[in-house]
Amino acid sequence: MGKPLFRLIPILIILQGCGDNNSATISASGTIEATEVTVSAQVGGIVRQFRADEGSAVNAGDTLAILDATDWMHQLRQAEANFSASDAQYKLAVRGARQEDLIQAEANFQSAESDLKRMQELAPTGSISPKQLEDTK
């Protein structure tokens, strides 16, 4: 924090010496140059092209550099693929079960029902344990 103040002191002394006898105003002409400016991008990346040279006059919003978009394009394609997969899942959920899934579920239910009936018939004879009957239920 001390360094910028030391840079301003010589300028203030020169400006004070350039003024007229009226101590209420300072009048001077000249150029003030910044020796260090930090410019940062909104996103990181590899610089492919500079659009301004050192010392060029630029305005807020001007494009100073072009970044390589390869990584961003990969991320965009990945996000689009994730969206497509999620959309397909949503459409399956809205449409409901497929006919093949319903047929398979019905077959599984009938098989389980048959197993339960058989186990209930075997339980009184002692051919199966109570645990086996319970598991089948």
Side-chain angles (χ1 to χ4, degrees):
M1 195 166 191
K3 285 187 178 183
L5 182 60
F6 287 124
R7 290 181 187 166
L8 287 177
I9 291 175
I11 294 172
L12 292 175
I13 292 170
I14 293 169
L15 290 177
Q16 183 66 29
C18 293
D20 57 13
N21 291 335
N22 184 355
S23 63
T25 62
I26 298 175
S27 174
S29 64
T31 303
I32 298 177
E33 294 184 22
T35 56
E36 185 178 318
V37 176
T38 302
V39 178
S40 60
Q42 292 177 342
V43 296
I46 297 170
V47 176
R48 290 292 175 203
Q49 177 186 12
F50 284 105
R51 292 205 168 168
D53 295 321
E54 184 178 346
S56 299
V58 294
N59 296 312
D62 286 353
T63 301
L64 303 180
I66 303 294
L67 300 179
D68 182 20
T70 304
D71 290 339
W72 297 105
M73 293 307 295
H74 289 304
Q75 288 180 13
L76 174 62
R77 287 189 189 107
Q78 182 68 41
E80 289 171 342
N82 290 342
F83 173 79
S84 294
S86 296
D87 189 48
Q89 287 284 347
Y90 170 75
K91 287 176 180 175
L92 278 174
V94 168
R95 187 174 67 222
R98 299 179 307 157
Q99 189 63 31
E100 297 85 6
D101 294 336
L102 293 175
I103 292 169
Q104 182 65 44
E106 181 65 30
N108 290 342
F109 176 75
Q110 288 176 0
S111 176
E113 196 172 48
S114 174
D115 288 345
L116 177 60
K117 184 178 180 184
R118 189 177 74 237
M119 293 292 191
Q120 286 173 332
E121 291 172 358
L122 291 174
T125 65
S127 299
I128 63 166
S129 69
K131 172 86 166 101
Q132 287 174 305
L133 178 61
E134 184 180 318
D135 290 345
T136 304
K137 286 181 182 180

